[in-house]
Amino acid sequence: EWISDFRQLRKKFIITRSISGLIALVSSISLAYLICRSKNGLSTTFHRLLIGLAVSNIIYSFAWSIFSVSVPQEMRYLIWGARGNQGT
């Protein structure tokens, strides 16, 4: 019984992780777009720092949201939603 509870908990964790990663990804892309379209663009130090943070967050959020997809299928017993292969 506790094993099925643990599996359900892992499934919920991975779904929550993927959704939060996608929300962060969309937010960072929106922030980068707004900064680039602003009147000052990248002429201020503040905007250049924000673009750097947004780009690094885009990379991190993308990796965070697709983590379970890139895990090899042989690890399905451990990671819910594993669909990758040894190359991923």
Side-chain angles (χ1 to χ4, degrees), residues 27-61:
S27 300
S28 293
I29 290 171
S30 300
L31 179 65
Y33 176 76
L34 289 174
I35 290 172
C36 290
R37 298 275 305 183
S38 70
K39 182 177 74 171
N40 294 335
L42 296 175
S43 63
T44 64
T45 304
F46 180 69
H47 282 180
R48 287 192 299 265
L49 285 171
L50 274 180
I51 282 289
L53 288 171
V55 168
S56 66
N57 194 29
I58 288 168
I59 294 167
Y60 180 77
S61 299

Side-chain angles (χ1 to χ4, degrees), residues 2 6 9 26 29 47 57 60 64 70 78-80 86:
W2 67 272
F6 184 66
L9 183 64
V26 169
I29 290 171
H47 282 180
N57 194 29
Y60 180 77
W64 183 259
S70 62
L78 189 59
I79 304 291
W80 179 82
Q86 292 297 328

